[in-house]
Amino acid sequence: MALTRRRITIEESPCSLCGTGDEDVMHLFTGCGFSFGVWSIVGQWCNFTHILAFDFSDLLQIHEMVKGGKWAKKVIRGIIMVTCWAIWKSRNDKVFRGITPKVAEVVATVKSCSFLWLKSRSNFANIVWKDWVLNPLYML
């Protein structure tokens, strides 16, 4: 979509992950069936009833609705950012390497990368993997 707006002619390209809809930021992160599966599992893991996002900016504001202190909001914000990165990476793996992504693998990437990010970049150096995979806010 961005290339078309810049008058660069390309073949029509439906979403690489779900095969439906035009592949733009809004669809890829909020309207894609594949991404919906990822967000559903990440939401359950973070103890959200649902992650509702109608626009990409909605995703970037989810952490503001988290009950808890500053660190709870930071942890959730980090998880949202890692999830966006993992979805984008899976899209690129499909387009450029022909690898068909799986929702469970993307969620596993989100959990492991966000764990490593938090463990190395915060005061939570003592977090434990077996507790993290059950509830990312267990230490708060």
Side-chain angles (χ1 to χ4, degrees):
M1 295 297 291
L3 292 174
T4 303
R5 283 193 303 271
R6 290 177 175 86
R7 296 188 183 115
I8 297 173
T9 306
I10 58 169
E11 295 178 28
E12 276 199 31
S13 58
C15 176
S16 303
L17 296 175
C18 70
T20 61
D22 292 329
E23 191 176 71
D24 61 8
V25 171
M26 191 154 56
H27 173 79
L28 184 63
F29 293 106
T30 63
C32 173
F34 180 87
S35 297
F36 178 80
V38 172
W39 289 119
S40 295
I41 295 171
V42 168
Q44 289 172 355
W45 175 52
C46 294
N47 293 322
F48 292 141
T49 50
H50 298 289
I51 292 182
L52 294 176
F54 300 104
D55 195 273
F56 188 72
S57 62
D58 294 340
L59 290 173
L60 300 177
Q61 296 172 0
I62 287 174
H63 70 282
E64 294 173 7
M65 295 181 280
V66 172
K67 293 178 180 151
K70 172 179 85 169
W71 276 105
K73 293 178 187 318
K74 284 186 174 195
V75 168
I76 295 302
R77 182 172 180 248
I79 290 170
I80 297 298
M81 291 166 54
V82 169
T83 303
C84 290
W85 171 81
I87 291 170
W88 181 249
K89 184 181 179 311
S90 65
R91 179 258 179 216
N92 286 344
D93 285 346
K94 172 81 183 222
V95 170
F96 299 114
R97 297 175 60 203
I99 298 171
T100 302
K102 295 177 177 60
V103 169
E105 291 174 358
V106 174
V107 172
T109 298
V110 169
K111 289 181 179 183
S112 61
C113 287
S114 57
F115 173 80
L116 293 172
W117 163 75
L118 187 66
K119 190 166 180 72
S120 65
R121 304 278 303 172
S122 72
N123 296 330
F124 297 111
N126 296 327
I127 63 173
V128 180
W129 173 252
K130 67 181 180 88
D131 296 326
W132 173 262
V133 295
L134 297 176
N135 178 3
L137 299 178
Y138 83 93
M139 69 287 198
L140 299 175

